[in-house]
Amino acid sequence: MKEKKEELPFEIQISFHKVVEQYKKQLELEESEVARNYIKSILAHVKSFPALTKGIKDFKELKKYKEPIRVLLDDLFPSVLTNNEIKAASVPFQNFLFNRSRRFKKIMEQAPDDFELEIRNLDSKSMYVQECINILNDYYGYNIDYSRPLYFDIPDKQGIIRRYRIALNGDFIDIFPKEKAKEITDEDVDELLQNVENIELWKEKFPPQSWVFKGFTIVNLTDVTIDDAISELKTALLFEKSSEQDELLKLEEIFRSIYKIPDLRVGFTVYNPQDEMFEKMEYKEANSYILNEELVSECKKGVCEEGFNNIFKDHSFFSIANVDEYAKKTKNNILSRRLKESDVKSCILAPVVKNNRLLGILELVAKKKNQLNSINTIKLDEILPYIATAVDRNRSDFENRVKAVIQSECTSIHPSVLWVFEKEAKKYIRDYDEDGLASFKDIVFKDIYPLYGQIDVVASSDARNEAIQKDLLHQLKEIQSIIDKAYKLEELPIYEQVKFRITDFMEDLESSLNASSEQKVFNLLQKEVNPIMSHLSKQSSELKKLVEQYQEQLNPETGIIYNHRKNYDETVQQINRTMSRFLDRKQITAQKIYPHYFERYKTDGVDHNIYIGAAMVKDRPFNKVYLYNLRLWQLGTMCEMENRFYQLQTTTPIKLDAASLILVYNSTMSIRYRMDEKKFDVDGTYNARYEIIKKRIDKSFIKGTEERITQKGKIAIVYSQRSDEKEYLRYIKYLQTKKYLGEEVELLDLEDVQGVVGLKAIRVEILYTPDSNEPDRSITYENLMEELH
């Protein structure tokens, strides 16, 4: 055992003088001649070793006195108990033990060679303070309770950590001051107790090595591995917040300690009562040995009848001590097969129940038969209620997360205005509790400034139609190739007729694609091509292979090839997903300017609405400076989104272009959250003009031309007031210095559209940063296209 060198308030002298004194007192009182002779022999034997009573400062010298120490301490360490008691002599808070019992020696022999005994969670500061309090209590007579449970963690030969609680006996010590010790007053004690963490203060009052500890302590250890593991498990389940993987690893470690099985594994299967199905947990790290690789399974198929009755009807354990024998007995049922696939030889399936409701099944599995059985299921009795509480809480947390996602993705109750909805909900509950009648009223915000922006895919309809056209032509060419091969083998007129029809369809498709083109091809396939394909697959192995290769390309639901269309859809989805996430992240910054309502929605691109005003914020004054800040943020963010759009082009299946637009609306309006539609909308006829402009503006033309206002490589800012023009020209000038916008700025008038007249626009080129590693390098759209292509 290594001696642990720590700075202490006293000098340690290991001494057995108090034991000798105790024997001398006992000798005076002892009446039995046998006992008196025994005591005399011990005292006579120890007398020849004066160092044992004077004190030994160098711990290494104890080796010389091993035999007389054993004799002297024989009454304190009875040999008849040495195989049962975990006991040793020591000095306080030093990892130095001697005169250990045989059981203690055996425990230490099973530990790894490099293992060093240390008291758990006892740092040098705590130890110093504890020793000072011992001085205050033993020498000065105070009664300060600073005790706490102390533990040794000792690994066994299987590598499982065994935990031992330490009980200290301090009957055989004397504590007294040296010359440099300071006298301690009541005022000093008051100050020390108010500053327990101030170690320098404690060292000032009790300088290192200023006191003497003379004697020894007796250490008794109790194996509390299971109790400690259960306590740790309760803490982990009820209080700790950690990652899913860490949580599962900790559970396995704790159960291994409880069952003394070093390779025990833990799994969990969720029970879905609605569908009476087993399901895997949402956490990807969690194992389910009932399901193995499956995601779901019917309960009655998942376990045998005995297991089903135990778990579902009786809510009791189902254990399999020998999986191989169980497999023979059940003729290799699904459960036995899945357990054997995971190299399980014995297991316990424990129902996790809360309020008589089955939540799932805790699975303990081992790689040896009989390691887990019906007898040691009893160890789970105390644990399962806490697991049930944790599972129930996790399920509630997950359901809340689902609701939060639904609210975030499917409705428009933004966090910035949630306070209004909570206020109305509380009123609804009060009304309902009062008379059973309540209605959730529409919520209206007045004097609100709107901001609108969009980044859309240029000519998205043309790109989609081109993708459809390519897929249909590709499919018809595939069919044509197979028909040609079939005609060479068997000259049937029907082949020529179908080939003529296909050629006719291909010519029509190559010239134009209309709304009915896809339906016409679908009808051709259903009525003429598919029956022939079924016939050809039986004619020869070569034709069968060609037909199979053709059919593998088909969408199983429609029977049509979707390669190019899939590329288009995936590209648009990837763009929308990335743009939305980017905008959501930027929104965090925007909300710090002034809380406001925000919503975004996906089309062939991403559009967003922002509403800002005093009515939407609780207890915070509004100033138009916040509106100006938000407008500048919006313009800068739209430029950044354009950059992100084109940076994506290096990874998307096809290349698309973007066009961005911002609508500036100078007047305030009222907006209403319509409960029936679950969304915000403008309130009143006058405000409806804003919605009309939003829907039609991106289709507007520049006055006197057929050129759309939205154009790739540029951002259009649509407005109606001259003051808006001046305001945005200032923003543009600022963003030009930041290398967001280029020098080319156009001031344009727009053609009138139905219901909307007098609109103007600023159009300015956007600068792009093609490489995120070179943020200072900005180029125009034309240069960007050269780099991308």
Side-chain angles (χ1 to χ4, degrees):
M1 186 75 60
K2 289 188 179 180
E3 175 189 344
K4 186 176 180 180
K5 297 289 186 184
E6 294 284 4
E7 191 175 43
L8 295 173
F10 41 56
E11 171 191 292
I12 295 175
Q13 298 177 12
I14 297 178
S15 170
F16 305 92
H17 64 288
K18 281 212 165 188
V19 180
V20 173
E21 290 171 8
Q22 188 68 32
Y23 272 124
K24 287 178 179 179
K25 288 179 184 177
Q26 191 176 343
L27 185 61
E28 293 175 5
L29 302 172
E30 186 59 62
E31 295 178 359
S32 168
E33 191 64 29
V34 174
R36 286 174 62 82
N37 289 335
Y38 170 70
I39 293 170
K40 285 178 182 179
S41 65
I42 290 176
L43 292 173
H45 183 65
V46 171
K47 195 172 183 179
S48 56
F49 303 100
L52 295 182
T53 52
K54 287 183 178 178
I56 300 168
K57 295 180 182 179
D58 187 353
F59 295 178
K60 294 176 183 176
E61 289 188 17
L62 284 181
K63 290 181 181 178
K64 296 189 296 184
Y65 305 106
K66 186 175 181 181
E67 191 272 337
I69 290 172
R70 184 186 63 79
V71 172
L72 187 60
L73 300 183
D74 189 55
D75 279 356
L76 298 171
F77 291 79
S79 58
V80 292
L81 299 177
T82 191
N83 288 318
N84 289 315
E85 290 187 332
I86 311 170
K87 196 171 184 179
S90 180
V91 289
F93 308 112
Q94 299 294 295
N95 299 319
F96 177 77
L97 305 175
F98 60 94
N99 201 60
R100 291 171 286 170
S101 67
R102 194 169 297 152
R103 186 177 173 194
F104 200 163
K105 289 178 182 177
K106 190 175 180 180
I107 288 170
M108 294 304 299
E109 286 168 2
Q110 291 181 344
D113 294 337
D114 59 349
F115 174 73
E116 292 184 23
L117 201 61
E118 286 191 10
I119 297 174
R120 187 205 307 174
N121 297 333
L122 185 66
D123 57 53
S124 58
K125 288 183 180 180
S126 300
M127 186 163 54
Y128 200 97
V129 172
Q130 178 73 72
E131 296 292 23
C132 294
I133 290 174
N134 286 342
I135 295 171
L136 290 172
N137 289 343
D138 293 350
Y139 187 80
Y140 287 102
Y142 287 95
N143 187 24
I144 301 168
D145 185 6
Y146 192 64
S147 60
R148 61 168 174 160
L150 301 174
Y151 298 90
F152 281 136
D153 295 338
I154 307 173
D156 64 15
K157 61 183 177 182
Q158 293 179 310
I160 293 174
I161 303 295
R162 310 295 299 170
R163 293 171 170 84
Y164 300 89
R165 187 172 61 241
I166 303 169
L168 292 173
N169 183 327
D171 291 344
F172 303 98
I173 61 173
D174 275 327
I175 294 175
F176 51 88
K178 294 169 71 173
E179 290 182 4
K180 61 178 181 178
K182 295 182 177 182
E183 184 65 27
I184 302 297
T185 65
D186 288 343
E187 289 76 15
D188 292 330
V189 174
D190 291 342
E191 185 181 3
L192 288 167
L193 294 182
Q194 292 296 323
N195 297 277
V196 176
E197 300 297 325
N198 187 349
I199 189 64
E200 297 306 320
L201 177 64
W202 286 86
K203 287 184 177 181
E204 178 191 329
K205 304 296 183 183
F206 298 94
Q209 302 287 307
S210 62
W211 288 76
V212 174
F213 169 95
K214 187 175 182 180
F216 70 97
T217 57
I218 297 174
V219 174
N220 278 283
L221 302 186
T222 305
D223 189 338
V224 293
T225 303
I226 293 179
D227 292 340
D228 202 47
I230 290 173
S231 176
E232 190 177 352
L233 182 62
K234 291 175 185 176
T235 302
L237 291 172
L238 298 181
F239 303 112
E240 291 191 2
K241 291 288 184 184
S242 55
S243 71
E244 296 147 17
Q245 189 171 11
D246 290 344
E247 200 171 88
L248 292 167
L249 288 174
K250 190 164 192 174
L251 279 180
E252 283 194 341
E253 181 187 330
I254 292 169
F255 276 113
R256 286 170 182 175
S257 294
I258 293 171
Y259 278 90
K260 301 180 185 177
I261 301 173
D263 56 357
L264 180 143
R265 290 168 288 165
V266 178
F268 191 85
T269 301
V270 176
Y271 172 59
N272 180 340
Q274 284 81 19
D275 303 324
E276 292 191 348
M277 300 283 279
F278 286 138
E279 296 178 354
K280 277 201 169 185
M281 290 184 74
E282 300 84 26
Y283 309 140
K284 61 182 179 182
E285 303 293 344
N287 290 319
S288 169
Y289 296 97
I290 291 177
L291 294 173
N292 204 1
E293 297 300 321
E294 299 294 321
L295 292 176
V296 294
S297 172
E298 290 182 35
C299 295
K300 288 188 177 179
K301 290 182 180 179
V303 291
C304 62
E305 186 176 352
E306 179 189 357
F308 185 86
N309 289 336
N310 281 21
I311 293 168
F312 288 90
K313 294 184 178 179
D314 302 333
H315 289 170
S316 62
F317 302 117
F318 178 58
S319 62
I320 305 173
N322 189 327
V323 171
D324 291 332
E325 286 298 318
Y326 173 77
K328 292 177 185 177
K329 180 181 171 183
T330 60
K331 298 180 181 178
N332 283 317
N333 69 350
I334 293 175
L335 177 60
S336 65
R337 291 202 304 271
R338 286 174 178 165
L339 292 173
K340 289 171 79 173
E341 285 167 5
S342 299
D343 194 25
V344 175
K345 299 298 182 186
S346 61
C347 70
I348 294 173
L349 305 180
V352 177
V353 179
K354 183 78 172 176
N355 298 329
N356 204 34
R357 182 168 55 98
L358 181 66
L359 304 176
I361 299 174
L362 175 71
E363 308 158 340
L364 306 183
V365 302
K367 293 186 177 181
K368 293 180 182 177
K369 68 177 183 178
N370 298 325
Q371 280 188 314
L372 297 169
N373 51 67
S374 59
I375 296 172
N376 57 23
T377 57
I378 197 170
K379 295 186 177 186
L380 290 172
D381 283 342
E382 189 180 346
I383 301 170
L384 277 178
Y386 295 95
I387 291 177
T389 299
V391 171
D392 190 43
R393 183 192 63 207
N394 287 341
R395 177 174 286 189
S396 296
D397 289 347
F398 181 73
E399 287 173 356
N400 288 337
R401 284 184 61 203
V402 170
K403 290 175 183 175
V405 169
I406 291 171
Q407 178 172 306
S408 172
E409 296 297 322
C410 305
T411 72
S412 302
I413 304 176
H414 191 268
S416 63
V417 294
L418 190 59
W419 63 275
V420 182
F421 289 84
E422 289 174 347
K423 182 179 175 182
E424 184 63 30
K426 289 173 184 175
K427 183 177 181 300
Y428 175 95
I429 292 169
R430 283 197 302 269
D431 292 347
Y432 186 84
D433 290 345
E434 187 175 328
D435 55 16
L437 297 172
S439 62
F440 207 110
K441 297 176 182 176
D442 284 356
I443 291 170
V444 179
F445 296 105
K446 296 182 178 179
D447 295 324
I448 300 300
Y449 289 94
L451 291 85
Y452 171 75
Q454 67 176 44
I455 176 169
D456 276 352
V457 174
V458 174
S460 57
S461 298
D462 294 342
R464 186 186 287 108
N465 288 341
E466 185 181 349
I468 294 171
Q469 185 182 41
K470 286 180 178 178
D471 280 333
L472 294 177
L473 286 170
H474 172 67
Q475 184 165 357
L476 293 174
K477 286 177 183 176
E478 290 281 305
I479 297 167
Q480 192 179 51
S481 175
I482 296 170
I483 298 293
D484 284 341
K485 183 70 69 175
Y487 190 77
K488 290 178 182 178
L489 298 174
E490 191 179 15
E491 295 185 4
L492 295 180
I494 189 66
Y495 295 157
E496 277 196 303
Q497 189 267 334
V498 171
K499 185 179 176 182
F500 168 77
R501 292 270 289 154
I502 289 169
T503 303
D504 192 35
F505 268 88
M506 288 174 65
E507 288 175 356
D508 285 345
L509 279 173
E510 285 172 346
S511 61
S512 67
L513 179 80
N514 56 51
S516 62
S517 296
E518 191 171 7
Q519 185 60 46
K520 287 179 180 177
V521 172
F522 180 78
N523 292 337
L524 173 70
L525 296 174
Q526 290 289 98
K527 294 177 182 178
E528 301 181 43
V529 174
N530 291 347
I532 289 178
M533 288 296 174
S534 179
H535 166 74
L536 293 179
S537 62
K538 300 171 186 174
Q539 296 308 299
S540 71
S541 58
E542 184 182 4
L543 281 175
K544 182 181 179 182
K545 186 177 180 181
L546 289 173
V547 171
E548 286 175 350
Q549 288 174 348
Y550 161 74
Q551 290 175 339
E552 283 174 3
Q553 299 179 63
L554 304 181
N555 181 300
E557 294 178 5
T558 62
I560 293 177
I561 291 175
Y562 273 94
N563 292 341
H564 291 90
R565 210 170 334 176
K566 182 182 176 185
N567 286 340
Y568 173 83
D569 291 338
E570 284 182 358
T571 299
V572 172
Q573 286 173 14
Q574 187 176 343
I575 287 169
N576 285 348
R577 199 162 49 241
T578 304
M579 294 293 101
S580 297
R581 283 202 299 262
F582 180 84
L583 192 54
D584 289 344
R585 286 197 301 272
K586 297 294 290 185
Q587 249 295 295
I588 297 170
T589 306
Q591 289 292 340
K592 293 176 182 177
I593 296 171
Y594 188 85
H596 56 274
Y597 176 83
F598 167 81
E599 66 178 356
R600 49 111 179 125
Y601 40 96
K602 303 169 188 175
T603 52
D604 283 337
V606 177
D607 297 15
H608 67 267
N609 284 318
I610 295 173
Y611 299 111
I612 183 172
M616 306 191 85
V617 179
K618 191 177 182 182
D619 302 328
R620 183 171 172 182
F622 175 76
N623 189 293
K624 284 192 78 171
V625 71
Y626 298 126
L627 171 65
Y628 302 147
N629 271 277
L630 204 56
R631 284 176 172 177
L632 177 58
W633 169 88
Q634 183 191 36
L635 182 56
T637 299
M638 294 288 286
C639 294
E640 291 176 11
M641 287 177 70
E642 280 258 358
N643 267 272
R644 193 74 191 90
F645 182 99
Y646 285 106
Q647 286 167 3
L648 271 176
Q649 302 293 306
T650 56
T651 59
T652 52
I654 62 174
K655 303 293 179 281
L656 297 170
D657 277 308
S660 296
L661 176 143
I662 287 173
L663 173 61
V664 184
Y665 199 74
N666 203 275
S667 303
T668 59
M669 61 173 60
S670 294
I671 60 171
R672 178 185 296 270
Y673 188 87
R674 303 187 186 280
M675 298 308 302
D676 53 345
E677 298 178 21
K678 297 290 185 289
K679 59 177 254 184
F680 271 110
D681 201 354
V682 295
D683 190 36
T685 307
Y686 173 76
N687 294 325
R689 180 173 180 270
Y690 174 72
E691 290 296 325
I692 295 171
I693 297 173
K694 269 171 49 179
K695 290 175 182 175
R696 298 175 180 171
I697 193 62
D698 63 331
K699 306 292 191 296
S700 296
F701 293 98
I702 297 170
K703 184 164 279 190
T705 73
E706 294 188 2
E707 182 185 339
R708 283 268 183 92
I709 183 59
T710 51
Q711 195 176 94
K712 56 191 178 186
K714 297 181 179 181
I715 185 167
I717 303 161
V718 178
Y719 59 94
S720 59
Q721 303 293 323
R722 188 63 66 183
S723 59
D724 297 329
E725 179 183 301
K726 292 179 180 179
E727 178 185 340
Y728 272 85
L729 286 174
R730 290 198 301 271
Y731 300 155
I732 289 168
K733 191 171 183 180
Y734 168 72
L735 291 175
Q736 284 172 334
T737 64
K738 301 280 287 185
K739 303 296 184 185
Y740 276 51
L741 297 171
E743 295 300 319
E744 185 184 332
V745 179
E746 302 169 89
L747 299 179
L748 307 166
D749 292 320
L750 303 186
E751 289 283 3
D752 297 340
V753 293
Q754 187 178 358
V756 182
V757 296
L759 290 179
K760 304 175 183 299
I762 303 172
R763 197 164 64 182
V764 56
E765 64 177 349
I766 298 171
L767 295 182
Y768 298 91
T769 306
D771 190 344
S772 57
N773 294 321
E774 298 181 70
D776 294 331
R777 178 170 171 256
S778 300
I779 59 176
T780 62
Y781 172 80
E782 288 74 16
N783 299 133
L784 176 69
M785 290 300 104
E786 288 178 12
E787 291 207 9
L788 287 177
H789 300 290

